[in-house]
Amino acid sequence: MKTMHNIITIDGPSGVGKGTLARKLAQKLNYILLDSGAIYRLAALWLLDNDVDLDDEKAVVKALSLFDIHFASQDGQTHAYLNNQDVTKRIRQEKVGMLASKVAALAKLREMLLQKQRDFASIGNGLVADGRDMGTVVFPQAKHKFFLEASSQIRAKRRFDELREKGEAADYDIILSELEKRDFQDRNRKVAPLVPAEDAVIVNTDQLSIDEVFITVYKGIKD
Ligand code: DC
């Protein structure tokens, strides 16, 4: 397996700050960004909108064969399109995140999304890929692999503060229990579960600010 020097993978549980870190790194390095969670969210929304029975593998495969997605930059933000409809806001809903975690356990679905994710590596100078299995399954040959960790309480508190800051309703206990449920599903599924790659650098962000996480990871890449 040939090492790919221009691929950085950032894996970790929900709400650990992977997205923010990946975005900052991609900007700094002028690399392409792959938010793989958004792809799972798009798949979940597509199956939801088409009323597909998740236990019916044939129906899932059939629906996904008509699944067309793309991302586009608009006003400094990445917009997600599902069959040419802008669904950026819809895929961020908590219920879609939970459903994404559920559909992400389907082996066939993961297989169908694999190439879509790998294609991102051939677009630009390099790639920062964020998700759950970027370093283990999608880009095992990446040179730089990071796995972010933080306690579920700290992740829930950060999410709570973020929602409050935006003026949105937030309940800490609900956020914590949903986050722990999603973690459990993601860590315990049979295919591509959430685990650090053997060669990943683990970064515990409990006591670190976003800037400190960035500096730690950036140093790791440059060393
Ligand atoms: O990162 P996120 O919250 O947007 O991801 C939503 C769900 O998608 C997550 O709970 C599990 C699934 N997912 C996955 O299984 N593998 C990935 N590489 C990314 C996300």
Side-chain angles (χ1 to χ4, degrees):
M1 199 165 56
K2 196 165 166 278
T3 304
M4 295 184 83
H5 290 265
N6 60 350
I7 298 188
I8 301 164
T9 62
I10 319 268
D11 289 305
S14 307
V16 76
K18 304 182 297 288
T20 310
L21 171 66
R23 205 167 42 245
K24 277 172 141 283
L25 280 173
Q27 261 166 13
K28 175 87 178 169
L29 297 164
N30 195 21
Y31 279 11
I32 295 286
L33 175 66
L34 165 61
D35 171 4
S36 62
I39 297 183
Y40 284 90
R41 286 169 182 265
L42 286 164
L45 188 60
W46 180 239
L47 298 174
L48 179 72
D49 283 354
N50 285 286
D51 232 351
V52 177
D53 175 3
L54 300 183
D55 295 322
D56 182 348
E57 192 177 276
K58 268 196 187 147
V60 171
V61 170
K62 189 168 168 223
L64 287 178
S65 67
L66 304 169
F67 169 70
D68 176 48
I69 59 171
H70 73 271
F71 297 93
S73 262
Q74 260 168 261
D75 323 320
Q77 221 206 345
T78 305
H79 283 239
Y81 290 82
L82 181 53
N83 293 39
N84 287 323
Q85 287 231 330
D86 187 342
V87 291
T88 313
K89 280 219 175 91
R90 285 187 73 203
I91 59 166
R92 292 296 148 205
Q93 291 170 352
E94 188 47 43
K95 77 166 186 203
V96 177
M98 197 58 101
L99 190 65
S101 167
K102 196 168 171 208
V103 304
L106 304 172
K108 194 75 200 166
L109 178 139
R110 299 198 76 86
E111 193 188 307
M112 290 180 84
L113 299 185
L114 194 57
Q115 196 55 44
K116 281 192 200 302
Q117 298 171 73
R118 289 190 174 151
D119 287 346
F120 278 75
S122 52
I123 316 175
N125 305 324
L127 181 71
V128 183
D130 115 51
R132 305 292 187 290
D133 62 341
M134 297 296 101
T136 48
V137 176
V138 183
F139 300 110
Q141 72 283 46
K143 163 92 168 128
H144 304 288
K145 298 182 186 180
F146 297 91
F147 191 91
L148 303 192
E149 280 181 346
S151 74
S152 51
Q153 287 78 8
I154 286 194
R155 286 182 283 133
K157 171 79 170 61
R158 286 180 190 156
R159 179 93 186 111
F160 175 79
D161 291 343
E162 198 182 290
L163 288 170
R164 276 295 183 82
E165 221 164 85
K166 283 196 219 155
E168 290 180 29
D171 180 315
Y172 173 82
D173 291 327
I174 295 177
I175 293 172
L176 178 64
S177 88
E178 290 191 338
L179 195 138
E180 288 183 338
K181 189 171 167 210
R182 197 131 75 85
D183 275 3
F184 183 85
Q185 283 182 172
D186 294 343
R187 288 185 206 275
N188 292 287
R189 65 178 176 230
K190 285 204 191 81
V191 270
L194 171 65
V195 286
E198 272 176 23
D199 50 348
V201 174
I202 312 251
V203 181
N204 186 304
T205 76
D206 274 344
Q207 310 292 335
L208 302 180
S209 67
I210 291 170
D211 286 344
E212 287 167 334
V213 176
F214 176 80
I215 290 165
T216 308
V217 169
Y218 191 67
K219 265 195 193 146
I221 295 163
K222 292 291 165 195
D223 280 349

